């Protein structure tokens, strides 16, 4: 399911289209839907990185990669992503095939984020939001 088809779309605060796909910003997290066939590298992620840093600054945020379309990530760039997004509190992927789920498992060996894979966008959003509800309860 694309984000625009979900019940969460009405909570959208900001949307931005960059060369590699669409970014949907919410209070504590964003949903990324990357273009079909793109190979994401640290270099071509620059516009997305700038938008994320502009919107969240140094505050904690969550990231949901809604993998409705097929794309790849240059795994050797993982250390750059790990270093750049130290304030990333929860990273969820939504995969729609067994192959994509296996790719997620392989990526887990390289990325240091708190990561979880889901088969439904609603479940991923609920998981990411739970990380921020727990934190606000402590304040």
């Amino acid at each position: 399911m694309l984000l625009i088809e979900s019940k969460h779309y009405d909570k959208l605060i900001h949307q931005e289209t960059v060369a590699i796909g669409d970014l949907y910003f919410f209070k504590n997290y964003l949903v990324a839907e990357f273009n079909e066939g793109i190979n994401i590298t640290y270099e071509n992620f620059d516009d997305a990185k700038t938008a994320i840093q502009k919107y969240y600054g140094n505050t904690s945020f969550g990231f949901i990669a809604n993998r409705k379309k097929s794309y790849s990530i240059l795994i050797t760039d993982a250390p750059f992503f790990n270093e750049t997004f130290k304030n990333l509190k929860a990273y969820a992927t939504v995969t729609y095939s067994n192959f994509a789920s296996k790719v997620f498992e392989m990526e887990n060996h390289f990325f240091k984020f708190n990561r979880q894979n889901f088969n439904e966008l609603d479940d991923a959003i609920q998981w990411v939001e739970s990380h921020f509800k727990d934190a606000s309860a402590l304040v």
Side-chain angles (χ1 to χ4, degrees), residues 27-29 56-62 86-89 132:
K27 181 180 178 186
N28 295 317
Y29 66 93
Y56 295 111
N58 292 323
T59 62
S60 295
F61 72 99
K86 291 183 178 181
N87 55 329
L88 180 57
K89 188 171 188 169
F132 295 94

Side-chain angles (χ1 to χ4, degrees), residues 67-86:
R67 291 185 152 182
K68 188 68 175 163
K69 299 175 183 172
S70 179
Y71 62 87
S72 61
I73 300 171
L74 183 61
I75 208 69
T76 56
D77 281 357
F80 302 119
F81 287 104
N82 292 330
E83 183 65 27
T84 299
F85 295 109
K86 291 183 178 181

Side-chain angles (χ1 to χ4, degrees), residues 2-14:
L2 294 173
L3 179 70
I4 61 170
E5 301 165 342
S6 79
K7 64 183 179 184
H8 303 281
Y9 188 71
D10 64 341
K11 299 176 193 169
L12 180 69
I13 295 171
H14 177 71

Side-chain angles (χ1 to χ4, degrees), residues 8 17 42 44 135:
H8 303 281
T17 299
Y42 188 72
N44 69 11

Side-chain angles (χ1 to χ4, degrees), residues 16 18-20 23 42-52:
E16 193 151 336
V18 294
I20 59 174
L23 306 175
Y42 188 72
E43 184 178 325
N44 69 11
F45 196 79
D46 194 54
D47 290 342
K49 176 184 71 142
T50 299
I52 293 166

